[in-house]
Each structure stands twice: as structure tokens, then as C-alpha cells.
Amino acid sequence: MLRARQSRSVLDWFKRLLFPVYCLGCGSESDWICPQRLKQLEIMSDRRCAICKKAAIGGLCPKCRKLTQLDGVIAPLDYQNPLIKQVLSTAKYDGGWDAITCLSAALHEEIIRRLPEGDWYYAYIPQTKQRSAKRGYNQSEIFTKLLANERIFLGIKKIRETAAQATLTKAERRTNLKNVFKVVNKPPEEIVLCDDVITTGSTLSAVVRPLRKAGAKRIWAITLAHD
Ligand SMILES: [Zn+2]
Ligand SMILES: [Zn+2]
């Protein structure tokens, strides 16, 4: 069960006073998702695979673990829930990046509880410079910063623009991402990759491969939702 943040900073309070936010679920003036709707959100256990939904440990079945080269996935929310879909697409396409803060704050405790103990550094899926300039922000970066407490590894670069993964078939998704990400600094041994949604895992996996080659030993992924 999720809880809304207990307190807001004074700055947050003034911001809401000037720019009120209405719950995407019920329309009440509150947050992107009001406390009542937050409580109703279903959380998927990490005993189910975030990708294929079969029985799993640490959010990945043996097959998907091998395919993605990830050691574990934390993806508590269901992207097929219309409310989650709406919050995440608001964050992605409508400049409402603040929407991610609401979900991430509510999920924070649950996410940290699921992550095994380790000397973790966090990293996000980078965008090309052109894409960042166009949208003005990277929602994966925002989510990472909310979790990371300054422990961020910045040595991953995206070296060319790619077609949107959502528009492609499974096979096309893999070739689309071949050699797209490059690791330019020596990575820490334990890394958590953060993104908003996991679908086939191919984007995350395209980052995992060069990270492993560069020396990362244990790599987990945290996404807000699974598709
Ligand atoms: Zn509501
Ligand atoms: Zn699986």
C-alpha cells in the first residue's frame, strides 16, 4: 500500500498555491494522484517477472535475466492501469515532469526495501543532446535524481538518435538500439539503472551490455511501472 508524502517543503506549498494540480484520477485539487487514489494502486510483487510476468526472484525470471543481462528489476506499478499510464505520459509528453515526483515519493520506501544491500550508484538512460534540447528535460534523469542522493554515475552517453521503441516490433527494437550507448568513464561495480517504464527490457539491456564490458559487476533496474 502506498502513502502520500507526509509533508511538503514551504517552497512546494507556495508552488501549489500559485499553480494548483488536480488529481488525474478524480479531479480533486491535491496532487497528480490524490492520497485516496494512491492507496488504491496495486503493487506487483517482485516474485513476478517485470517483463513476462512468470514466477521470478528479484523481479526477473531466469530467461529474462539471461536475455537482458540484468540481475534484478524493481517495477512496482502496472502501466496498463489507465491512471498510471496517464501520469507517466503527462510526465513524458506534456512537460508535466512534476508528475513523476508524486509517484516516486509514494514508491520510495517500497523501492528501497526491494533493492539488495550494496554500494549502489544510480544512472539514467541518456538522451542525445538534440533530444534533451527539444524536450528540455529527460524524465528518466528526473526519476534517478529523486532516488539517488547524489550517487549518480554520469559516464553513459547516447551516441545517435533512434526511432521511438514503442513504434517498433520486438526484433526491430533490438537492432534499433545496437551500439547506441557508450560508456565513457570507468563505471562503479554496482549500478542501478532508472527509467519510467520497462516493456521488453531492450532499452535497459542496451545500456547493461556496455556497462558490463566496462567492468560493472552487479546491475539492477528500477522503473516506476512494468508494461
Ligand atoms: Zn483523486
Ligand atoms: Zn520473464
Side-chain angles (χ1 to χ4, degrees):
M1 187 185 283
L2 298 178
R3 272 181 300 158
R5 272 177 295 183
Q6 297 297 311
S7 61
R8 288 194 173 285
S9 72
V10 176
L11 200 68
D12 271 346
W13 189 81
F14 273 112
K15 199 170 85 185
R16 284 287 184 269
L17 197 66
L18 293 171
F19 308 103
V21 169
Y22 300 91
C23 168
L24 290 168
C26 71
S28 69
E29 186 180 337
S30 160
D31 209 328
W32 296 91
I33 303 183
C34 68
Q36 286 80 356
R37 291 290 167 116
L38 268 180
K39 265 189 237 160
Q40 291 164 5
L41 288 178
E42 225 177 278
I43 302 288
M44 188 177 76
S45 140
D46 53 4
R47 301 238 155 216
R48 274 177 72 192
C49 178
I51 296 170
C52 72
K53 315 296 182 281
K54 288 190 180 135
I57 298 171
L60 276 179
C61 73
K63 196 177 146 210
C64 294
R65 176 168 292 130
K66 197 167 169 208
L67 214 64
T68 58
Q69 305 263 305
L70 280 163
D71 293 306
V73 171
I74 300 169
L77 298 172
D78 183 358
Y79 189 64
Q80 290 310 318
N81 177 331
L83 184 54
I84 299 300
K85 202 176 247 182
Q86 211 183 336
V87 173
L88 291 180
S89 66
T90 300
K92 203 165 194 161
Y93 300 109
D94 299 340
W97 58 264
D98 195 29
I100 279 191
T101 315
C102 165
L103 275 183
S104 148
L107 285 168
H108 195 265
E109 230 173 85
E110 176 68 17
I111 286 173
I112 298 306
R113 195 181 59 73
R114 289 188 189 190
L115 188 67
E117 227 166 276
D119 189 23
W120 297 108
Y121 276 79
Y122 293 73
Y124 50 87
I125 311 294
Q127 296 176 334
T128 57
K129 272 187 198 148
Q130 294 88 316
R131 176 63 63 88
S132 302
K134 203 167 150 204
R135 195 188 280 161
Y137 64 94
N138 173 353
Q139 78 282 355
S140 160
E141 178 179 346
I142 290 164
F143 178 42
T144 307
K145 287 184 173 158
L146 289 168
L147 292 171
N149 261 334
E150 314 284 313
R151 289 173 69 85
I152 300 183
F153 173 63
L154 291 170
I156 309 166
K157 302 280 176 240
K158 187 173 186 183
I159 49 185
R160 65 177 160 82
E161 202 44 77
T162 48
Q165 286 290 93
T167 64
L168 304 173
T169 65
K170 235 179 180 177
E172 285 170 337
R173 283 178 186 223
R174 294 200 186 275
T175 33
N176 183 41
L177 291 170
K178 214 162 182 196
N179 302 326
V180 162
F181 298 103
K182 202 170 146 189
V183 175
V184 294
N185 297 326
K186 182 164 171 45
E189 290 196 347
E190 299 182 304
I191 298 190
V192 181
L193 290 172
C194 307
D195 204 0
D196 50 357
V197 185
I198 183 166
T199 306
T200 63
S202 46
T203 306
L204 287 160
S205 172
V207 180
V208 170
R209 279 159 217 281
L211 275 174
R212 292 235 184 252
K213 248 187 217 164
K217 299 259 184 311
R218 193 150 70 132
I219 307 175
W220 273 60
I222 296 177
T223 66
L224 285 167
H226 57 88
D227 196 358

